[in-house]
Amino acid sequence: MRIWDISPVKLCKNHLLGEHREIHAIWAVITENKKGYSKHPETIRWIGKLGALYFRHEQLVKEMKRRGYNHQSPLDKKNATGKSKQDVLVDSTLKQIQILKQKNCSCQV
């Protein structure tokens, strides 16, 4: 489970679409009080920051549409409460770039 802190433009198809799925999973855990992944560090860092998670989702959607994907799973904006900026990272941006480079994918990092 990972939400990258890197521009969606730089993500390969798999990481872009994978992150989109992860956002929906985290959103459901937090907004619907689901137990799955509720204690995962990536989930915990978004508690109280659904405004920021909503914004990240919108960034991903913009990039998905730019690449020709037909996005049909909007988040409910009324739940986009809390902080609008993420200030906690599981891994530094530099570490995230290193992780992506090691994956030998087509991410532009």
Side-chain angles (χ1 to χ4, degrees):
M1 175 164 274
R2 172 161 324 255
I3 307 300
W4 301 101
D5 299 287
I6 296 167
S7 171
V9 174
K10 295 183 176 192
L11 298 177
C12 68
K13 172 186 174 181
N14 289 340
H15 288 113
L16 179 71
L17 298 179
E19 181 180 341
H20 180 256
R21 285 189 303 273
E22 301 287 349
I23 284 178
H24 279 275
I26 290 171
W27 189 267
V29 167
I30 296 172
T31 63
E32 300 170 27
N33 295 314
K34 297 199 178 229
K35 295 193 184 216
Y37 294 106
S38 64
K39 306 233 187 269
H40 192 284
E42 191 65 71
T43 302
I44 291 169
R45 82 179 182 120
W46 293 100
I47 294 172
K49 298 176 184 168
L50 288 178
L53 190 60
Y54 182 87
F55 178 70
R56 178 63 181 185
H57 179 264
E58 294 304 299
Q59 289 178 311
L60 293 176
V61 168
K62 181 179 177 183
E63 179 59 18
M64 289 166 61
K65 288 180 177 180
R66 188 186 74 78
R67 295 186 194 185
Y69 295 106
N70 183 17
H71 181 262
Q72 295 184 8
S73 56
L75 297 178
D76 188 346
K77 192 172 185 175
K78 77 174 189 229
N79 290 326
T81 59
K83 291 185 180 181
S84 59
K85 185 167 172 68
Q86 179 55 270
D87 55 0
V88 174
L89 305 179
V90 173
D91 293 307
S92 70
T93 306
L94 182 59
K95 176 69 175 171
Q96 291 179 47
I97 290 169
Q98 291 171 342
I99 291 168
L100 286 171
K101 283 183 178 180
Q102 292 173 353
K103 294 188 178 285
N104 290 325
C105 60
S106 60
C107 285
Q108 302 297 309
V109 292

